Amino acid sequence: MTPPLAGERSQPRVFVTRRLPGGALDRLASETAFDLWQDELPPPREQLLRGVRQADGLLCLLTDTIDDELLAAAPGLRVVSTMAVGYDHIDVEAATRRGVLVTNTPGVLTESTADFAFALLLAAARRLPEAERAVRDGRWTSWHPSFLLGRAAHDATLGIVGLGTIGQAVARRARGFQMRLLYSSRTRKPDIEEELGIDYRSFEELLAEADFVSVHVPLTPETRHLFDDDAFQRMKPTAVFVNTARGGVVDQAALYRALASNRIAAAAIDVTEAEPLAPDDPLLRLPNLLVTPHIASASVTTRERMAELAVENLLEALAGRKPPHCVNAEVLAQ
Ligand code: DGY
């Protein structure tokens, strides 16, 4: 950790749990005295607890668990700013109770995440990883009418589970592929149905009708293991499952069973229940699984914007103003 900057003790003290892309930290350096965890890997728990002890603000990532114990160890903490849209790694209820603002970075990662979800959908549908391996392994012996046959995305039915901004961005891409669009969601969105030409279905109906199912719900107690044995059982045996949301939305053992028994055709996932996925995880033995290391938002511009927004949220909160994206604005009224 770097020591606080000399002569800047009156500035708010901030702990940052990783180096950030772009120039976001330069702005932080000019307005705060900050300690930066320099390692590529997340700070171990003890270092995180030590880092926040004197801090007014914490800039963290989705790999950092911010729970009541940590908040109790940081009596001066006023804001937790996460460089992520998902904040399931933060105990927001505990933060609110302790008067700590929680901020996140929605919006700026919508399009990159939707691009990536669509890339996964197409790659799994047309078996890109298997095809690439076949060439490298010398198994491209001839053009053959039934070599590596995949599933067409165009004209197929896409079921979007969770029609927030990212789900809608995926729907816009799918329209370009002439896909038929369905969605399920806690609340119906008639204006968006009209605008995107997307039809509402119950979760169960969507699973039964869709050729592709793409998940875009946050991880909450209600969505944990939404995709279990029963859900996969309801899907078509030809269906392709795509998850760029959170691993915890899926019961990973159930996903394994569905893929291993060809209950569904394929899955493409950017997130897993435990991250990173262990190299010996049984899922990795399945040819019909495509897995990437939680990189859906990882384009240069998007990650820079996420970092800038996380800094902006943090500085606004430390200045006593309402940050652009606050998860528990009720703290401001306390
Ligand atoms: C988020 O922001 O929640 C994403 O999962 C990280 O890209």
Side-chain angles (χ1 to χ4, degrees):
M1 271 184 269
T2 50
L5 305 177
E8 295 187 351
R9 295 216 178 263
S10 61
Q11 292 184 312
R13 297 187 61 144
V14 172
F15 183 57
V16 184
T17 64
R18 223 76 58 77
R19 268 175 278 151
L20 305 182
L25 286 184
D26 297 339
R27 179 161 178 221
L28 206 57
S30 66
E31 300 186 39
T32 68
F34 74 94
D35 289 344
L36 173 66
W37 180 252
Q38 300 274 359
D39 213 283
E40 282 307 308
L41 293 176
R45 182 73 179 169
E46 211 176 289
Q47 300 295 336
L48 187 56
L49 289 170
R50 187 176 305 164
V52 294
R53 203 176 290 154
Q54 313 261 309
D56 302 296
L58 169 66
L59 200 160
C60 63
L61 307 185
L62 54 81
T63 44
D64 305 311
T65 300
I66 311 303
D67 55 13
D68 196 43
E69 182 201 28
L70 181 132
L71 295 166
L77 200 64
R78 284 147 57 198
V79 53
V80 174
S81 167
T82 184
M83 188 186 130
V85 62
Y87 48 86
D88 47 280
H89 61 111
I90 302 172
D91 184 341
V92 176
E93 195 271 320
T96 306
R97 192 167 13 90
R98 291 178 180 277
V100 177
L101 272 179
V102 176
T103 66
N104 68 338
T105 61
V108 291
L109 49 71
T110 300
E111 302 301 332
S112 281
T113 304
D115 284 350
F116 199 81
F118 219 78
L120 286 181
L121 183 155
L122 292 175
R126 298 301 300 274
R127 302 171 65 184
L128 248 61
E130 283 176 83
E132 212 255 353
R133 267 195 307 274
V135 177
R136 288 180 189 272
D137 295 350
R139 285 182 284 117
W140 183 13
T141 50
S142 163
W143 189 91
H144 190 286
S146 49
F147 186 39
L148 282 166
L149 299 188
R151 288 161 210 294
H154 65 271
D155 297 336
T157 298
L158 170 63
I160 296 178
V161 178
L163 196 63
T165 52
I166 297 175
Q168 291 170 41
V170 170
R172 283 196 297 276
R173 282 152 181 77
R175 276 167 64 102
F177 279 72
Q178 288 90 44
M179 295 182 91
R180 178 174 162 249
L181 294 174
L182 305 176
Y183 79 102
S184 72
S185 166
R186 267 183 320 179
T187 47
R188 274 192 77 157
K189 304 182 172 172
D191 294 354
I192 296 167
E193 287 177 25
E194 176 82 19
E195 182 197 326
L196 294 177
I198 188 167
D199 291 329
Y200 177 81
R201 292 287 186 277
S202 71
F203 180 59
E204 290 76 15
E205 287 166 344
L206 178 145
L207 296 179
E209 274 185 66
D211 301 303
F212 295 86
V213 174
S214 191
V215 189
H216 301 286
V217 292
L219 177 61
T220 64
E222 291 74 40
T223 63
R224 182 173 292 283
H225 287 192
L226 178 65
F227 285 85
D228 54 8
D229 284 308
D230 180 64
F232 289 119
Q233 199 63 36
R234 289 174 187 272
M235 287 166 63
K236 294 182 180 179
T238 49
V240 174
F241 174 73
V242 179
N243 187 9
T244 49
R246 282 290 183 270
V249 173
V250 178
D251 174 348
Q252 213 157 276
L255 176 63
Y256 175 86
R257 287 189 285 274
L259 290 169
S261 63
N262 294 314
R263 182 62 212 92
I264 63 171
I269 58 174
D270 184 47
V271 285
T272 53
E273 281 205 83
E275 295 185 358
L277 188 65
D280 62 350
D281 192 286
L283 277 175
L284 295 175
R285 295 201 290 271
L286 298 171
N288 51 354
L289 176 86
L290 162 54
V291 56
T292 50
H294 205 148
I295 55 166
S297 68
S299 72
V300 175
T301 46
T302 293
R303 286 287 168 85
E304 287 183 2
R305 285 193 196 128
M306 287 168 73
E308 282 160 16
L309 185 50
V311 166
E312 170 78 7
N313 279 332
L314 183 94
L315 291 175
E316 285 299 290
L318 289 175
R321 293 186 288 266
K322 186 169 183 224
H325 295 287
C326 190
V327 169
N328 58 351
E330 59 270 34
V331 167
L332 293 165
Q334 282 175 9

